Each structure stands twice: as structure tokens, then as C-alpha cells.
Amino acid sequence: MRQGSVRGDGTVPRQRGGRSADELGWDESLYEGGEDGEGGGGGDDDGPRSRHKEGDRPRPRRRRKRRALRWFAIVLAVLILGTAAAGYLWYEHLNGNIRTTPMPDGKRAAEATPNAAGQTPLNILLIGSDARDNAENQKLGGAKETFNGTALADVQMLLHLSADRSNMSVVSMPRDTLLQMPECTDPDNGKVYPATTDRMMTNASLGRGGPGCTVLAWEKLTNIHINHFMMVDFAGVVSMADAIGGVPVCVDANINSRNSKGEGSGLKLKKGTTYVQGEQALQWLRTRYGFEDGSDIGRAKAQHMYMNSMVRELRENATLTSPNKLRRLAEEATSALEVDEGLDTVKKLYDLSNELKRVPPQRITMTTMPYEYVGVRVQPKPGDADQLFRLVRDDVSLDGKDSPQKKKDRDKAREAKASDDPAAAPAETGVRVLNGTATSTTAATPGRASTVAALLQNKGYTRAAADQSSTPVQERTVIRFPSADLEGDAQALAKSLGLPLSSVEESKEVTGVTLVVGGDWRIGDVPPKPKPDEKDDKAPDTADALNGADSKACMRVNPNYTW
């Protein structure tokens, strides 16, 4: 197993040419606490303004620049590997570049059910690490006091590719989102981190067992099964800055991201559209002061705009057919990535890229998890966040453009038919009861599994028993069964509780009839009937959706940072 170096394991850093971060005017003071959170992670890294005139498309430079462009290179790498993989002369060499870490072995969310055509969706967690575990990352990240400290997952995006490969959804989670952490095991040393009852910032998950723990934290919150992860650190993306070329971005007023205290990225652009690369691209991606309310939310929106614009440029830019450029991109992409063992070869990455490239920009939807403030931190917004996660979990396109047949199949699945399997008598049916009443913002109701098990016993299900095992968040109450010979028993249980048949589902994760009491049944003797709006197939407005083909999107500039 080729391990990465995000947790300070002493891996020899990759050597890259070009000027140092100090020579580029890096402002390390921005990582010394302050608004950007704990641990020195994710501050606005400032460099000198570009020597190109604003509005001009800059000329390529010969030297590689030391510029941390972070998370967007992950998706770029996947997109370009498909075109580069034809060069199998470097196949083994490129395979050797790829670093791997195993997926977690802990309790996972159930895998998605195949659609009517037998297809399943694909979920990939994209992680940007702020690791300062070697000299190169230290120069790029600043904050000398954090050298070799615990890495933070300062960028987290869930990329969902639909089962029919017609559309793609991306959900960003702000790095300072407060969550309960699951139990995690560090694959490097076997250290076990116990589950937490108190909430922590989500970016701390990376230091509790690596990217596998970040995967588990997402699954615990969303109940969405994650198939793969892809992660980069500062050094891993530096060399790809100029390889991308100019990308057009837009601001609705002149912007100068620098205040009287010297805080800001140094981004200075004129109103309208400017092609940015290198230093200016770095500044755009890390600008917080000057965009909207100056929070990480505005920065995420700017990153979404850049990512969409970059994808459009890559598709339209004929120069990417250059063999030399493709060789360089393949080399840098494979060196930049740390992935799970399911993506450990160029062939696997190539196959994945072919899947992703099938989606046109107009079917890509970028969103931010609906949130609400808790002091200076945020938490998932009750209702809206759950709705967004449900749409992704149910493979509903966030742009509302699913085909009539897909909508018909989804409605049919919701209107489950009665099983032909005869149900056993209640007293002969064993029922395992789990407490899944936790929500994205509220802890589970204590003793709920025992309470509901007692209710079932009063209904004649004398073999019902509470299971106190940790259970992922369950938005709605469901009944699961492992095989067709228990479907009738599961449906009979649903009928006795007044639950619709659509709440009964087959799952290989259970060994018998299992009732998971959801967040909709935290109190009372009878589960509530599903609300009509629970079938709404639309992303909430608070998700701030941005379509991948929207070339007119413009960042709103804070009046205090204009010139």
C-alpha cells in the first residue's frame, strides 16, 4: 500500500522547480488564528498581483509556479486522465505515482439500490488537505507553528454521478460545519478514535484517521454510501496551475481583497470578466475578504464558479490535444492524487474519467449544503439540508431535468406493491429495533429503541428487541429485510404501525426484519404520516445551486473592498 503523507509520516516530498512561496510574497500571518478557524487551516494565502493587465489573457510561463490551487485540481485530474491514458508508455510509471489509502472498515451507509436498468450511482468525496508535513507544503501553507501538525480537511465536496450517467451533482460542506464524529481507526497505526457526543468542526475528521474518517463522517451525516475518495494537499496541486491555462471569472464591481489590517488575498480585478491563471487564479480561489459577506460560504461560491468555468474551458480548448501538454497533465495528475485502493491504477482512473466526461456542463449542478450559523460556525439547516441529502441519496437530479421515464420509475418504486410472501404471525416475527432519531442538528432521543420495542410487544410482536448499536442518521422511519422470504413479515409490521409500503426496503446490511426509528418519530406512540413535501424533487433554494453551463455568473463584491 502506497501511503500518503497527510498525517506527517515523513514521506520524502516531491521536488518541484520554480520560485519559493516566500519569493512570491506569501503572507503567513493570515494563518495565525483569526476568522479562518482553528489549527491554522484554510486562510487567505496572499501573493503579489499578476504582472498581466487585468482583462488580458496571460501568456504561458516556462517555469512551474509554486501556487496552491487546492481542491479544483482533483476534478481536473479526473477529467484529463481519460485523454492522457492512451499514452501507455508511461503506464507503470504513472501507476507508481499514485498514492493510496484504504477505505474505512467501520459501519458504512448502505449501498444504493440499482435502478430499473440495473445501474447504480457513483459518489466520490473530494478532499482538500491543508497538511504542512514537509518543507514544500510548509512554504505553500504558511503558519510555521503548524509544521507537521494535524492535517485538516479544509475542502470537502461530494460528487454524485447519476446511475444513468446523465447528470452530476456536487455538494460542498463548509469546513467549519459542526458535526458529531464517528468512531474511526487510523490505517497507519491502528489507533482508534472513539465516536464523539460533542460536535466538532468537520475539517477535524482528517486528523482522526485520515480520509477514511472524513468518508465516515459524511456517511453518518447523510446516509449516502460513498464509493471513492480523492484527496490532494498543497504541494500536490501546485504544478498544475499553469497547465490549466487561463480561466474566465467575473466580478460585479472592481475588487481589491485587502483591508487596512493587511488581511485578504491581494486579488485585484476590474469589474467584468478576466482570464486568470497562476497567481491570480490562486488569489481567486482563496479570496474571502471582498466576496459577499466575507465568509467561507462566499469563497465556496467563487470556487464553484471557477470549477464550472474550468470544465467549460477544458472542453472547448482545442490546445489540450497537444501530446506534450497531455503528458505533463497526466504526470502531474497522478502525482497530485491520493485515492482509495479502488482507484489505484491509471486504468481505473481512466475508466472513471470516461464516466464523468459523459455529463455535459448544462447537467452539472454545484450546491452548498444548506446551513445556519451557530456563533461563528455553521450547522446543517434542519429540513433543507436533509432534503438535499435525500435527493442525492435517491439519485434525483438537482437541476429538475430527470427524464419522464426516470421520474416514472422513481414514483413506481415509491408506490411499493404488497408482497406475495405470506406474513408470519406477529408473535413469530423477530424484530430488531434501532434508534436512528438523530438529525443533522440534534442528538438521538435517549432510549428510543427500547421505547418503540415495548410498543411493538404490546402489539403482539413479543420477539421485538432494542439494539443499542450506533446507527447512522435516518431521516424517516424505515423497515428493512434481508431477503424475499421476509418481505411479507416486514410489510405486515409496516401496516401495523400505519407506515406506507414505501417505507419497507430490502437491504443486505441486515439479517432479519429491522425497524430503524427515524428522526420523524422522535416522540409519540405512532409514527407520523409522510408529509406531501417529502416527495418534492427539487433542491431547496438555500442550496444556492449553480448550473455548470452558466457562463454569466458573477461574484458579488463587498462594497468595502472595491476601488
Side-chain angles (χ1 to χ4, degrees):
M1 179 173 66
R2 296 184 293 278
Q3 293 292 335
S5 58
V6 298
R7 295 184 294 282
D9 59 6
T11 301
V12 178
R14 298 183 295 279
Q15 299 299 317
R16 304 179 187 270
R19 292 176 293 170
S20 69
D22 294 335
E23 292 173 325
L24 290 173
W26 210 266
D27 184 357
E28 297 180 356
S29 66
L30 299 182
Y31 283 84
E32 298 172 1
E35 290 184 62
D36 256 349
E38 302 166 355
D44 291 326
D45 294 342
D46 301 334
R49 294 187 295 273
S50 171
R51 290 188 290 274
H52 301 295
K53 296 179 181 179
E54 283 100 352
D56 290 345
R57 188 171 186 141
R59 286 181 256 173
R61 303 182 183 183
R62 293 185 179 179
R63 288 188 179 183
R64 291 180 179 178
K65 313 294 194 300
R66 293 181 178 273
R67 297 172 178 85
L69 296 187
R70 275 210 178 181
W71 56 270
F72 72 88
I74 306 175
V75 177
L76 169 66
V78 175
L79 292 174
I80 63 175
L81 275 172
T83 56
Y88 273 83
L89 292 175
W90 295 278
Y91 183 74
E92 290 301 326
H93 166 69
L94 294 178
N95 282 344
N97 286 345
I98 302 171
R99 294 166 293 150
T100 64
T101 294
M103 288 290 275
D105 293 328
K107 293 185 177 180
R108 306 287 307 282
E111 294 187 26
T113 302
N115 62 15
Q119 303 165 307
T120 54
L122 191 62
N123 296 303
I124 306 170
L125 187 61
L126 312 177
I127 305 170
S129 163
D130 76 342
R132 293 168 174 83
D133 51 0
N134 57 49
E136 188 173 9
N137 276 328
Q138 181 61 59
K139 288 180 180 179
L140 293 167
K144 294 179 180 179
E145 73 280 2
T146 65
F147 180 73
N148 221 16
T150 302
L152 301 172
D154 265 1
V155 177
Q156 300 176 35
M157 292 185 177
L158 180 64
L159 187 155
H160 172 83
L161 183 62
S162 66
D164 62 5
R165 304 309 190 245
S166 67
N167 66 88
M168 184 189 304
S169 303
V170 177
V171 179
S172 290
M173 184 189 298
R175 62 181 180 173
D176 57 355
T177 301
L178 296 174
L179 301 176
Q180 290 180 332
M181 292 294 167
E183 178 182 296
C184 297
T185 301
D186 191 318
D188 288 349
N189 54 31
K191 180 178 179 179
V192 177
Y193 294 84
T196 67
T197 53
D198 294 333
R199 295 189 297 175
M200 304 171 61
M201 286 172 56
T202 184
N203 63 356
S205 60
L206 190 60
R208 290 171 48 83
C213 190
T214 307
V215 167
L216 288 177
W218 269 81
E219 291 194 351
K220 177 181 173 65
L221 173 67
T222 67
N223 203 25
I224 297 170
H225 182 82
I226 295 174
N227 304 93
H228 300 290
F229 70 80
M230 306 179 77
M231 182 171 71
V232 292
D233 57 17
F234 294 135
V237 299
V238 165
S239 61
M240 301 188 69
D242 288 327
I244 297 169
V247 171
V249 296
C250 177
V251 288
D252 68 357
N254 295 349
I255 182 173
N256 185 7
S257 179
R258 184 76 72 189
N259 62 20
S260 59
K261 298 179 181 180
E263 299 167 321
S265 70
L267 179 70
K268 188 172 184 179
L269 297 176
K270 290 182 179 179
K271 177 181 178 180
T273 300
T274 302
Y275 273 80
V276 297
Q277 73 177 76
E279 296 169 23
Q280 281 190 321
L282 165 64
Q283 292 168 342
W284 176 274
L285 291 166
R286 308 205 69 184
T287 292
R288 187 164 61 86
Y289 296 103
F291 283 157
E292 303 199 345
D293 63 355
S295 71
D296 196 48
I297 306 300
R299 175 158 51 191
K301 184 181 295 186
Q303 292 171 346
H304 291 169
M305 289 184 185
Y306 188 96
M307 181 176 176
N308 283 338
S309 184
M310 180 191 66
V311 170
R312 293 194 302 268
E313 285 293 303
L314 287 173
R315 286 176 174 270
E316 297 169 4
N317 189 348
T319 62
L320 289 183
T321 59
S322 164
N324 288 333
K325 176 167 286 191
L326 291 177
R327 278 197 295 268
R328 179 187 175 191
L329 289 175
E331 183 74 36
E332 300 303 341
T334 53
S335 296
L337 294 172
E338 180 171 348
V339 299
D340 65 274
E341 292 172 334
L343 295 175
D344 60 352
T345 67
V346 172
K347 175 63 167 58
K348 293 175 182 178
L349 289 169
Y350 169 67
D351 291 342
L352 175 60
S353 72
N354 279 339
E355 296 287 293
L356 295 174
K357 287 191 297 183
R358 293 169 60 180
V359 181
Q362 59 267 28
R363 297 304 312 280
I364 298 174
T365 305
M366 306 286 295
T367 64
T368 298
M369 178 198 75
Y371 65 92
E372 61 184 17
Y373 279 101
V374 182
V376 296
R377 310 300 182 201
V378 300
Q379 65 183 12
K381 183 177 178 63
D384 286 6
D386 292 329
Q387 181 180 350
L388 182 64
F389 297 147
R390 176 179 60 79
L391 293 177
V392 174
R393 188 168 57 245
D394 291 349
D395 196 28
V396 179
S397 64
L398 300 185
D399 60 9
K401 296 180 180 179
D402 277 337
S403 68
Q405 184 60 49
K406 185 174 180 180
K407 293 179 180 179
K408 183 178 179 180
D409 291 342
R410 188 161 61 239
D411 291 341
K412 183 178 180 180
R414 285 170 172 164
E415 298 172 359
K417 295 181 179 179
S419 172
D420 294 331
D421 173 54
E428 298 175 0
T429 303
V431 182
R432 175 184 175 217
V433 183
L434 293 172
N435 184 355
T437 57
T439 69
S440 56
T441 58
T442 309
T445 302
R448 192 60 182 157
S450 297
T451 299
V452 173
L455 291 173
L456 292 180
Q457 291 171 2
N458 290 334
K459 288 179 176 290
Y461 287 91
T462 55
R463 296 176 59 190
D467 186 331
Q468 305 301 331
S469 301
S470 176
T471 304
V473 171
Q474 182 63 49
E475 180 186 355
R476 289 175 287 175
T477 299
V478 297
I479 298 172
R480 298 189 173 118
F481 63 94
S483 55
D485 61 320
L486 290 177
E487 184 176 14
D489 297 346
Q491 290 190 351
L493 175 61
K495 184 177 180 179
S496 72
L497 290 172
L499 290 171
L501 293 185
S502 59
S503 67
V504 179
E505 58 188 35
E506 185 173 0
S507 171
K508 300 302 181 184
E509 303 298 317
V510 299
T511 56
V513 176
T514 302
L515 171 64
V516 184
V517 184
D520 60 342
W521 193 19
R522 294 174 59 84
I523 59 174
D525 295 345
V526 180
K529 294 182 179 180
K531 298 177 182 179
D533 62 1
E534 286 184 344
K535 292 188 177 181
D536 284 349
D537 292 343
K538 179 183 178 182
D541 293 339
T542 49
D544 204 10
L546 178 66
N547 185 268
D550 186 355
S551 59
K552 296 182 179 180
C554 234
M555 281 304 297
R556 181 170 58 84
V557 175
N558 187 313
N560 295 324
Y561 289 87
T562 192
W563 55 279

